[in-house]
Amino acid sequence: MELIKRNIHMDYIKCKAQAQMTLEDDVIISDSRPDASRLIMDRGSVAVDEVKVTEDHVNVKGRLIFHVLYLAEKAGGASGKSDVADMEGFLPFEESVFMEGIRGGDGVNVTWELEDLTIGLINSRKLSVQSVAALYLVCEEIHDEETAVDLYSEEPVEFRKKTLDIAAMAIKKKDIFRVKEEVEIPGSFPNISSMIWSEIVPEAVEFKVLEDKIGVQGELRAFFLYRGEGEEEEICHYETALPFAGSLDCPGAQEGMIPEIRFTAEDREVEIRPDFDGEERVITFEQSLDLDICIYEDEKVDILSDVYGVVKEVSVMEKNAEFRKLIARSSGKTKLGGHFSCEDDKAILHKILHTASNLQLTGQNAAEGGIELTGVVNMQIFYECSNEENKYGVIKGSLPFRYVLEAEGINESCLYPVQAFVDQATVAIIDNGEVDVKCVLYFRANVYRKWQEKIVEQIVVTEPDMEKMASLPGIAVYMVKEGDSLWDIGKRYYVPVSVIRQTNDLATDEVKAGDKILIVKNA
């Protein structure tokens, strides 16, 4: 008797951990930068440089990278007009995280979230940088779940199967998708002398599984602040949105597979080059999307679920295996709005130059009919005002939200990785120091039911218990009880199910409580 097995590719989380870091330090503004009089905008990110795994511990080394745009006086205070400058710096960190069950050689994926970044001005040459960052560590393994799907036997034996509807792991890898674009500033803008600040944000990024490829499309929203050519070196800004589309090679991918792809977009290169007339008017940039790719395939697998002997004793040894199944694909949008006030009560707002937004999910819980999401959208609104001495400033504010993403059939045992984005953000000046903010939030999630299934691991065949076999009647009438099946009856009397059906002229295996079933041994 031989079990016929096949491998089903599954992924599971071996162990995971979370650590929160508080980083703070005073940072000197470099000598190549002018004195600072007021901070305008800031942004930050975490770079993980080294991950070292030892028994039950993971050591993570990296840097908090921060960028600051600030207001500075021109050299010598010429004309009393405001100037802007930027500065980049970093704070190194090393964090040891306890992960029970981790061993040297295990792979650990480290992601991060910047929960808070506060940068203050101590004096004209020194900044105070404080941040709270969360590190998420996951040791995820792919293994082949060896599953019995059939049975070969030269002697009489009864076996049955059941069909599993599962999402099997088809592809898991990391890759980089690069977007190269160039924009030429409009003719009404002066030539570019130097770039001060650039911000490039991918929006509405979608992934689609194609034949041996992954299709990628989305939009890059780009903002550039530069110093124009000329004696006045006018401060100019230019903002644009550029759609992009392309694909990545992904051998083994097939249409209809389920993408579970996340990306980060921290690395970018921005350069200024001349146009056809030799004037510095073209901005070229390359934005890298670092992809963490998981692709699942819906499969129906017939597995061996039970076996019993007819002439010999057959014992089944089972083990628990973990599977998952896609039960819902969900996406939704919600609108969010509010009013923010300028801290500088003397500022007379003239124009909104740029709005930077950051969405943080603070809660994800399975609720009736969906996923309850809570979080906050943090905004920095870069403005220009009519005061030449303090021409630029920023309004900062936060908009909390609660939203239920519809997902039928969800419960606490499900997996539902949620992706959330700020899809649109608009700001309008409604008073001298007040703005009206509106944005659209977009959410999407695949919902998987996770469960453990007993699968046949081994079959043991022994000689029958002759005393037990002798005690069984050659002919019997069995009264079906609630919950009984023909399989249960056949297993009890060592009679094939097909024989019971034939003896009782049954067209199917269905029986109900109270039915009388004739059992004829060795019929």
Side-chain angles (χ1 to χ4, degrees):
M1 193 173 298
E2 180 186 356
L3 283 176
I4 299 170
K5 297 183 176 182
R6 64 159 287 191
N7 288 327
I8 301 175
H9 302 302
M10 300 300 297
D11 62 327
Y12 75 102
I13 294 175
K14 178 180 178 180
C15 51
K16 61 181 179 179
Q18 178 180 342
Q20 190 181 66
M21 304 182 302
T22 300
L23 302 172
E24 55 183 324
D25 202 357
D26 295 342
V27 179
I28 303 297
I29 297 174
S30 63
D31 292 340
S32 62
R33 294 289 189 263
D35 290 352
S37 63
R38 190 172 67 185
L39 303 184
I40 302 175
M41 296 181 69
D42 57 59
R43 67 171 183 260
S45 61
V46 174
V48 176
D49 298 321
E50 181 182 327
V51 179
K52 187 176 181 181
V53 179
T54 57
E55 187 169 345
D56 292 331
H57 286 84
V58 178
N59 196 67
V60 182
K61 288 184 180 180
R63 294 160 291 144
L64 166 72
I65 303 172
F66 63 90
H67 300 254
V68 180
L69 182 69
Y70 63 89
L71 202 63
E73 292 295 326
K74 283 191 175 183
S79 306
K81 293 183 179 179
S82 298
D83 193 14
V84 290
D86 74 313
M87 177 186 167
E88 179 180 345
F90 67 89
L91 302 182
F93 67 83
E94 183 172 355
E95 191 79 8
S96 180
V97 183
F98 176 72
M99 284 187 77
E100 186 174 2
I102 199 79
R103 297 292 181 267
D106 286 344
V108 176
N109 187 40
V110 181
T111 57
W112 57 271
E113 182 179 356
L114 204 56
E115 296 180 349
D116 181 66
L117 177 64
T118 303
I119 301 179
L121 193 62
I122 298 175
N123 57 48
S124 61
R125 303 301 304 171
K126 185 184 291 187
L127 303 175
S128 168
V129 181
Q130 299 176 318
S131 76
V132 178
L135 296 178
Y136 302 95
L137 293 79
V138 177
C139 177
E140 194 171 30
E141 294 188 346
I142 300 175
H143 69 109
D144 289 334
E145 196 66 76
E146 196 175 47
T147 308
V149 295
D150 213 336
L151 177 66
Y152 172 76
S153 176
E154 293 182 348
E155 56 192 35
V157 67
E158 285 288 289
F159 63 88
R160 65 177 175 178
K161 298 180 179 181
K162 72 181 295 185
T163 301
L164 296 184
D165 191 357
I166 62 173
M169 171 63 71
I171 297 167
K172 185 171 179 62
K173 67 173 187 173
K174 293 183 182 293
D175 210 332
I176 299 175
F177 181 77
R178 292 181 170 86
V179 185
K180 295 182 179 180
E181 295 286 352
E182 68 174 35
V183 295
E184 184 171 354
I185 58 174
S188 58
F189 286 54
N191 294 343
I192 303 170
S193 172
S194 61
M195 187 66 66
I196 302 172
W197 182 270
S198 63
E199 194 168 290
I200 302 168
V201 180
E203 293 185 345
V205 181
E206 300 281 350
F207 302 97
K208 186 176 182 180
V209 182
L210 307 171
E211 199 72 24
D212 291 326
K213 292 181 181 296
I214 297 173
V216 187
Q217 66 177 23
E219 185 176 78
L220 291 180
R221 187 164 295 279
F223 171 75
F224 304 103
L225 188 72
Y226 70 92
R227 189 168 280 107
E229 284 185 352
E231 292 183 4
E232 292 294 323
E233 291 193 332
E234 179 185 356
I235 303 299
C236 304
H237 72 282
Y238 179 63
E239 190 163 19
T240 186
L242 300 168
F244 66 87
S247 63
L248 281 171
D249 289 336
C250 188
Q254 296 178 15
E255 290 189 37
M257 287 183 172
I258 308 161
E260 198 67 63
I261 303 175
R262 293 181 175 271
F263 71 90
T264 56
E266 300 304 325
D267 295 330
R268 65 182 64 89
E269 295 179 4
V270 179
E271 293 182 354
I272 303 165
R273 70 170 183 82
D275 61 10
F276 289 113
D277 296 325
E279 297 181 324
E280 301 285 337
R281 304 188 60 80
V282 177
I283 303 170
T284 64
F285 56 91
E286 180 178 300
Q287 173 69 65
S288 297
L289 304 185
D290 295 315
L291 307 182
D292 188 357
I293 300 170
C294 292
I295 297 178
Y296 297 95
E297 182 176 18
D298 272 335
E299 284 192 55
K300 291 186 183 298
V301 183
D302 292 330
I303 69 167
L304 206 63
S305 62
D306 199 7
V307 182
Y308 70 83
V310 175
V311 298
K312 290 190 176 182
E313 196 73 42
V314 176
S315 300
V316 175
M317 298 179 66
E318 298 176 314
K319 69 174 182 178
N320 284 326
E322 189 172 287
F323 297 98
R324 68 172 65 180
K325 172 187 176 182
L326 179 70
I327 62 171
R329 296 187 185 189
S330 184
S331 63
K333 292 185 178 183
T334 186
K335 294 180 180 179
L336 199 60
H339 289 179
F340 296 155
S341 296
C342 183
E343 291 184 0
D344 184 358
D345 54 8
K346 295 181 180 179
I348 300 176
L349 304 186
H350 172 62
K351 185 190 300 182
I352 302 299
L353 303 183
H354 177 60
T355 301
S357 56
N358 171 257
L359 188 153
Q360 290 182 323
L361 281 176
T362 57
Q364 305 177 48
N365 299 294
E368 185 176 354
I371 307 167
E372 183 179 57
L373 303 170
T374 54
V376 65
V377 177
N378 299 310
M379 290 189 163
Q380 297 184 76
I381 302 164
F382 181 28
Y383 66 82
E384 178 184 321
C385 61
S386 55
N387 186 346
E388 285 293 337
E389 293 184 3
N390 292 290
K391 191 173 183 179
Y392 304 102
V394 67
I395 299 173
K396 294 185 178 182
S398 299
L399 296 173
F401 66 85
R402 176 188 173 277
Y403 178 72
V404 176
L405 180 62
E406 292 183 4
E408 291 299 326
I410 192 171
N411 58 44
E412 291 293 341
S413 67
C414 290
L415 300 172
Y416 42 89
V418 176
Q419 297 187 37
F421 312 92
V422 179
D423 194 34
Q424 301 171 28
T426 58
V427 179
I429 300 170
I430 57 176
D431 203 353
N432 283 342
E434 193 173 4
V435 294
D436 178 68
V437 178
K438 289 183 174 65
C439 61
V440 176
L441 309 185
Y442 173 61
F443 306 92
R444 65 178 177 226
N446 292 332
V447 181
Y448 303 89
R449 181 172 70 87
K450 184 178 67 171
W451 80 99
Q452 286 195 336
E453 185 80 36
K454 287 189 179 298
I455 61 174
V456 176
E457 185 176 30
Q458 188 177 346
I459 290 179
V460 179
V461 181
T462 58
E463 292 300 320
D465 184 336
M466 299 310 295
E467 185 177 338
K468 179 180 178 183
M469 296 294 284
S471 68
L472 293 173
I475 299 177
V477 176
Y478 180 81
M479 183 75 76
V480 178
K481 300 180 180 62
E482 191 69 39
D484 279 343
S485 67
L486 280 190
W487 177 269
D488 300 324
I489 298 167
K491 190 174 184 179
R492 177 178 299 179
Y493 288 95
Y494 293 80
V495 178
V497 171
S498 59
V499 172
I500 299 176
R501 272 204 316 265
Q502 184 178 3
T503 303
N504 291 270
D505 291 328
L506 298 175
T508 68
D509 289 353
E510 292 183 10
V511 291
K512 61 182 184 296
D515 286 349
K516 294 179 180 180
I517 300 297
L518 178 63
I519 307 296
V520 180
K521 183 72 173 163
N522 297 325

